[in-house]
Amino acid sequence: MGHNPLHEGLVVAAHGRHYTVEMPDGSLRKCFPRGKKAGTAVGDRVAIEPQGADEGVIVRQLERRNLLYRSDEMRTKLFAANVDLLLIVVAVEPAFSDELIGRALVATRCAGIKPLVILNKVDLLAQLPAAQARIEKLRGLGLEVIELSALDTEQVNAKLLPLLKGRTALLLGQSGMGKSTLLNALVPKALAPTQEHSVALDAGKHTTTSTRLYHLPDGSGDLIDSPGFQNFGLSHLSAGNIERGFPEFEALLGECRFYNCTHLHEPGCGILAAVEKGTIARERHDLYKRLLAEHEDQNRY
């Protein structure tokens, strides 16, 4: 069998079982996985066997540092692989979901990814104080928060580019938070669904539903834009992962009477005592309980 030699490339777009792989010379190839399994994500490095002028077969995936994904009863959605930084975009309005942010934080902690919250639309001065009060709780968990207006391109670049240097960042946000505007400020050619880019990659169809990796204009880092942040199931995490996903629990874990305490109902539990005292927010503990219940449901079958 005269196989073509394998070439390594970077997955820069994923759409179902079609992947766009960027080769070292900057050219793009449309690639398909060999066999049935499609576990490849944007940000993965892969070995491909080129076919024709601009296609290829993904023969194997190279080792990855991490993978951020969500999962519920029926399906799994891969966000991205080999990510250094998760940028969670929220806005002064419309209201953002604490639940989604909480879930994203648990996932990033387990994957070894640094989370960063971007509060967008700070030019809406009337609503700003209320949004800042909600964000303050996140700062209390040791989270870095950056406030900006995505419409102010200079401000966006000044505040974010230094943090993105030499890193791969994943951009997540519910719809209406201004994520596309932010992406466009950082990567002017991206204009989320601009025509020419999408035509080159997938004939202009479904431009907003696929995950894509963009290089920052000065070549200093990469930005991955992923849709589908309206829910964030974490049924793939173990009970131990979920516990570790709450940074405010960490200092108290040695204080429970039972070494295998679930922090749900046991007597002498340090975490429950802190919830009663108010040093751990009740809504955070409620989220913990929901995640554990989902995990139990998932593993009952």
Side-chain angles (χ1 to χ4, degrees):
M1 291 281 291
H3 276 312
N4 295 334
L6 297 186
H7 295 255
E8 282 184 15
L10 173 69
V11 179
V12 295
H15 195 87
R17 286 173 53 80
H18 307 182
Y19 297 93
T20 304
V21 177
E22 183 184 83
M23 306 313 291
D25 64 0
S27 64
L28 299 177
R29 283 183 176 265
K30 190 176 229 165
C31 296
F32 302 88
R34 173 165 285 169
K36 290 270 186 289
K37 209 172 163 316
T40 303
V42 170
D44 265 324
R45 299 201 72 83
V46 289
I48 70 155
E49 191 178 288
Q51 294 190 333
D54 53 8
E55 295 203 343
V57 176
I58 296 176
V59 178
R60 67 168 184 272
Q61 189 177 290
L62 307 185
E63 200 180 328
R64 52 164 72 127
R65 284 183 295 128
N66 57 37
L67 173 68
L68 191 67
Y69 67 104
R70 63 179 168 82
S71 61
D72 47 41
E73 303 76 39
M74 299 313 291
R75 56 186 298 259
T76 293
K77 173 173 161 61
L78 307 183
F79 286 120
N82 300 319
V83 177
D84 302 300
L85 195 60
L86 173 66
L87 305 177
I88 306 170
V89 185
V90 298
V92 170
E93 71 166 32
F96 52 89
S97 158
D98 287 324
E99 171 91 6
L100 272 180
I101 294 174
R103 286 168 176 269
L105 294 180
V106 172
T108 53
R109 224 173 134 82
C110 292
I113 297 168
K114 179 182 157 68
L116 187 77
V117 172
I118 297 176
L119 178 62
N120 185 19
K121 307 190 191 180
V122 293
D123 45 322
L124 300 176
L125 295 176
Q127 297 91 333
L128 184 58
Q132 282 171 325
R134 290 184 63 197
I135 286 288
E136 208 44 55
K137 293 186 204 158
L138 297 175
R139 284 194 216 265
L141 300 175
L143 256 179
E144 195 175 339
V145 179
I146 291 184
E147 302 188 2
L148 48 74
S149 164
L151 298 170
D152 183 341
T153 303
E154 254 175 67
Q155 183 188 44
V156 168
N157 284 292
K159 289 191 169 186
L160 293 183
L161 283 183
L163 299 170
L164 302 178
K165 226 176 194 28
R167 289 172 148 179
T168 297
L170 172 64
L171 204 52
L172 283 183
Q174 294 163 263
S175 49
M177 299 295 157
K179 184 168 69 99
S180 300
T181 313
L182 191 64
L183 174 66
N184 204 44
L186 289 164
V187 188
K189 287 209 281 289
L191 192 67
T194 45
Q195 253 351 75
E196 95 201 292
H197 196 85
S198 58
V199 171
L201 289 180
D202 56 15
K205 64 178 189 301
H206 313 301
T207 44
T208 47
T209 55
S210 55
T211 298
R212 292 193 193 278
L213 181 146
Y214 300 96
H215 302 301
L216 293 173
D218 64 354
S220 67
D222 295 325
L223 199 56
I224 298 175
D225 178 40
S226 183
F229 192 49
Q230 305 308 323
N231 53 8
F232 206 129
L234 295 174
S235 53
H236 55 286
L237 295 183
S238 68
N241 282 145
I242 293 168
E243 177 186 270
R244 280 193 294 278
F246 288 79
E248 67 270 50
F249 290 8
E250 206 168 344
L252 301 166
L253 290 176
E255 295 185 12
C256 298
R257 186 182 307 167
F258 302 106
Y259 78 95
N260 57 350
C261 185
T262 61
H263 323 304
L264 294 177
H265 45 64
E266 292 87 347
C269 168
I271 307 270
L272 289 174
V275 174
E276 286 309 313
K277 275 216 307 268
T279 47
I280 287 179
R282 192 169 292 278
E283 64 257 35
R284 291 278 295 166
H285 187 256
D286 288 344
L287 172 62
Y288 168 76
K289 288 195 291 199
R290 278 196 296 286
L291 293 179
L292 270 191
E294 285 170 26
H295 168 74
E296 291 296 312
D297 284 350
Q298 185 73 3
N299 293 298
R300 192 162 285 146
Y301 310 115

